[in-house]
Amino acid sequence: MKHVVKTLMYLLAAGFFLAACSEDSSMPAPSPNEPGTGPFAEGIFVVNEGQFGQNNGEISLIDLEEGTVRLALFEEVNNRPFAGLIQSMVDHDALTYLVANTGKVEIVNRDDFESVGAVEADLDLPRSLTVAGGNLYISDWGPFDANFGSPDSYIAVVEGLTGGAVARKIPVPSRPGKMLLRGNQLLIAAEAAGRIVVLDLATEEIREVEVEGAPRDFITHNGGLMVFARSGSTIFLHELNSSIFQVIASHRIELENATSIFDVHENTLYVGANEPFPATGSLVAAINLNSRQVTNPSFYTGENLYGLSVNPANGEVWVTDAAGFQGNGQVFRLDAQGTLLDTFDVGAGPNGLVFR
């Protein structure tokens, strides 16, 4: 429980700080390059959220062959600090988007990490980003109210792939996060509202689908679509109709002290949890997606679990340790049986990885 509270306090505090990054507007931005032609076309990238008050979010790059880590890739390439708290890293064609909940999105060439643009105004607490039809759609919690609620959440629309001004904001239920594009429909998990939002990109009208638990993200499995949600120690897997996105079946999985940290590989769902009191550690449980049974309640045990990502190429599970945001963190590479293979020292607050 202490990890959940610590993470919530950290996210709430982050809302009061908006980072600004000054650039020389007289210098033209470099053009995007073709994917696969730069020095970072392949690699293992760690999203380091950073520490509140220091705004030292960064991207670390792990070289498995050499056993080395480049701690600050953005600053190394662009000769300036990122200056924000990074929530997510999104690749799309030749570009990569670094979404900071301190009110900005930095845009870089995917394969050389050179800056090509940014969204630096009219955002509050952005969480994630999707590209569709030449536009950027950014989920944003909006400003906190007096009770630290998020009643004015929205999807920010930017007309252009390399950033610029927010053209408009589409109001949505409280605390939108992860999104999934299906045709001309954008599915949005609104955690605090217990809703899936279906945004029609042609009309920009929304439809709400109520689900049990707090929806976190979407899972595609065996040709179907599910929503991962959680309430207390109960995990919900809500199956959605693939055309109108209504809930057609819901499945409950009990996992003591479950968190919303998860990832999927083939038929296995890995979910983070906190060890039962008075223990203070963290663990990762393995769940079979077909039977929806917990097959290994302690696939991994450790401390300060903050992120979990599976390499889709080989099924290796990577877990991150934020070290209580008291300094730099670590990531651990596990094989498909949960055996520890490597440990890497990375930047502050690692919350996940991107594999290329």
Side-chain angles (χ1 to χ4, degrees):
M1 185 67 185
K2 70 186 185 70
H3 305 293
V4 177
V5 173
K6 185 181 299 179
T7 301
L8 179 60
M9 292 178 63
Y10 177 79
L11 290 174
L12 292 175
F16 295 107
F17 195 97
L18 296 179
C21 183
S22 61
E23 297 184 74
D24 183 355
S25 59
S26 66
M27 297 296 290
S31 300
N33 55 18
E34 290 299 319
T37 62
F40 311 126
E42 298 180 352
I44 298 170
F45 300 81
V46 182
V47 180
N48 302 297
E49 190 167 312
Q51 298 163 286
F52 172 67
Q54 297 191 34
N55 275 21
N56 54 345
E58 255 294 354
I59 301 297
S60 298
L61 177 61
I62 295 175
D63 186 323
L64 271 181
E65 291 185 2
E66 298 293 331
T68 58
V69 181
R70 299 164 86 154
L71 289 178
L73 189 60
F74 182 90
E75 183 171 8
E76 176 186 328
V77 173
N78 296 290
N79 298 310
R80 60 181 173 88
F82 179 84
L85 301 173
I86 306 178
Q87 284 296 300
S88 54
M89 171 178 168
V90 179
D91 288 337
H92 181 80
D93 292 338
L95 297 173
T96 292
Y97 300 87
L98 305 177
V99 182
N101 70 355
T102 37
K104 71 171 181 175
V105 176
E106 290 276 4
I107 307 167
V108 300
N109 276 330
R110 180 187 186 276
D111 293 345
D112 64 19
F113 247 69
E114 290 187 10
S115 175
V116 298
V119 182
E120 295 185 288
D122 294 326
L123 295 175
D124 294 282
L125 282 165
R127 310 295 294 179
S128 191
L129 176 149
T130 295
V131 180
N135 291 340
L136 307 180
Y137 294 88
I138 305 166
S139 58
D140 197 306
W141 284 8
F144 287 123
D145 63 15
N147 297 313
F148 299 104
S150 304
D152 299 317
S153 297
Y154 56 87
I155 303 297
V157 183
V158 176
E159 297 175 341
L161 300 185
T162 56
V166 172
R168 55 196 174 277
K169 297 178 179 180
I170 303 170
V172 295
S174 183
R175 299 193 175 178
K178 297 293 186 179
M179 299 179 285
L180 178 68
L181 183 65
R182 281 297 181 98
N184 204 39
Q185 307 292 305
L186 184 59
L187 309 183
I188 307 154
E191 294 185 54
R195 299 283 192 279
I196 300 303
V197 180
V198 183
L199 171 61
D200 187 313
L201 298 184
T203 64
E204 295 192 347
E205 295 179 349
I206 68 168
R207 178 168 55 86
E208 300 178 25
V209 179
E210 185 176 0
V211 297
E212 192 170 3
R216 176 71 171 185
D217 203 352
F218 303 91
I219 298 172
T220 55
H221 179 249
N222 288 343
L225 175 62
M226 293 185 289
V227 178
F228 177 102
R230 183 187 64 85
S231 178
S233 293
T234 302
I235 296 165
F236 300 93
L237 296 178
H238 300 294
E239 296 184 43
L240 297 181
N241 178 287
S242 60
S243 57
I244 61 174
F245 310 113
Q246 293 287 353
V247 176
I248 56 177
S250 294
H251 309 282
R252 301 169 64 102
I253 302 168
E254 298 303 322
L255 180 64
E256 189 172 6
N257 298 320
T259 71
S260 295
I261 298 169
F262 82 94
D263 204 355
V264 172
H265 182 69
E266 296 180 346
N267 291 321
T268 303
L269 169 66
Y270 297 95
V271 182
N274 297 314
E275 290 187 318
F277 182 83
T280 60
S282 303
L283 56 84
V284 173
I287 299 169
N288 185 288
L289 275 176
N290 293 323
S291 66
R292 293 175 287 276
Q293 298 296 315
V294 178
T295 56
N296 188 345
S298 55
F299 174 85
Y300 162 84
T301 57
E303 297 286 336
N304 299 300
L305 173 68
Y306 195 57
L308 166 64
S309 301
V310 182
N311 188 337
N314 55 24
E316 291 178 347
V317 179
W318 294 68
V319 295
T320 75
D321 182 337
F325 295 96
Q326 298 305 303
N328 284 352
Q330 290 183 310
V331 296
F332 306 101
R333 180 169 72 110
L334 314 172
D335 66 15
Q337 289 71 48
T339 302
L340 179 64
L341 300 176
D342 290 297
T343 301
F344 297 94
D345 295 323
V346 296
N351 64 23
L353 295 91
V354 173
F355 304 93
R356 293 179 184 167

